[in-house]
Amino acid sequence: MSALTTEHFVLQTAISTATSEESARATLYVMALSSSLVALGFAAPPSPAFVPLAATLLPALAILGLFTSVRLVDTGLQNILCRSAIARIRLYYRQLSPQASDYIIAWAGPAENDAVTAAAATMGIGRRRDWLVGLFTIAMMIIAINSIVIGAGITLLAALAFPLGAAITLGLLAAAVHLVLFYLYQRHRYRTRPRLPEISP
């Protein structure tokens, strides 16, 4: 019991650390984006510095946003694994005595001994609508902003060679492709995430 309590505490600490990292990385990206937009505003046309500045900042922001989002998927997977492990320990707590189940919540799901279902319940994730829930992760929030940055960069670049309407179309297409591809990547990572071994009876 002492070992289980320690493991429970360690898992909670790991979740807290991963959540803090998510917040720090998302904040870093948003701060870099806002400061870059301010710099671009000061160098707006007719200043000759706008084009080289935009050509430097926008690709850097796009790369930073992509790296940030990939890491946010990793921390999200870590959270699910830790929550699943905590759910298994809680299921053991419920079996300690007949009265334990009155005080330790049983998560709703197809099987009470399904630790993954229990972990999903703690995060409000439903199995039938996982495609919709995937749109509201922190990683998707950052990648949505990053898609706008990429779309704006493509539009500015294409405007040098194409009419404005065609340049905007290319920018929108690039943003949509970037967003969809990352969503599919995130979905694949979550579907192929490591699973905890089955509990022996």
Side-chain angles (χ1 to χ4, degrees), residues 104-195:
I104 300 176
I105 299 173
W107 309 114
E112 185 178 325
N113 61 351
D114 186 348
V116 175
T117 299
T122 65
M123 296 178 289
I125 297 177
R127 290 186 168 186
R128 294 182 180 178
R129 295 191 300 168
D130 60 340
W131 65 270
L132 183 60
V133 174
L135 295 175
F136 302 107
T137 61
I138 298 179
M140 283 303 297
M141 177 190 74
I142 296 299
I143 211 66
I145 299 174
N146 204 49
S147 296
I148 296 173
V149 172
I150 290 176
I154 295 296
T155 299
L156 290 175
L157 180 64
L160 300 176
F162 300 100
L164 182 58
I168 293 175
T169 301
L170 287 175
L172 290 174
L173 182 61
V177 168
H178 180 66
L179 185 64
V180 170
L181 287 179
F182 186 85
Y183 172 78
L184 295 176
Y185 163 78
Q186 176 185 251
R187 185 177 177 85
H188 171 73
R189 288 291 308 279
Y190 274 78
R191 284 183 172 273
T192 59
R193 69 183 183 272
R195 308 278 178 167

Side-chain angles (χ1 to χ4, degrees), residues 33-113:
L33 175 62
S34 61
S35 58
S36 298
L37 291 178
V38 170
L40 288 174
F42 280 117
S47 172
F50 178 78
V51 173
L53 185 61
T56 302
L57 288 180
L58 294 181
L61 286 172
I63 293 173
L64 176 62
L66 183 60
F67 288 171
T68 299
S69 299
V70 169
R71 180 55 188 162
L72 290 176
V73 172
D74 291 340
T75 55
L77 291 171
Q78 179 184 339
N79 265 332
I80 288 181
L81 188 61
C82 290
R83 288 174 182 270
S84 298
I86 288 177
R88 290 159 70 98
I89 295 174
R90 289 173 59 87
L91 291 174
Y92 177 78
Y93 291 162
R94 283 176 52 81
Q95 299 167 4
L96 292 177
S97 73
Q99 293 79 24
S101 59
D102 295 334
Y103 301 97
I104 300 176
I105 299 173
W107 309 114
E112 185 178 325
N113 61 351

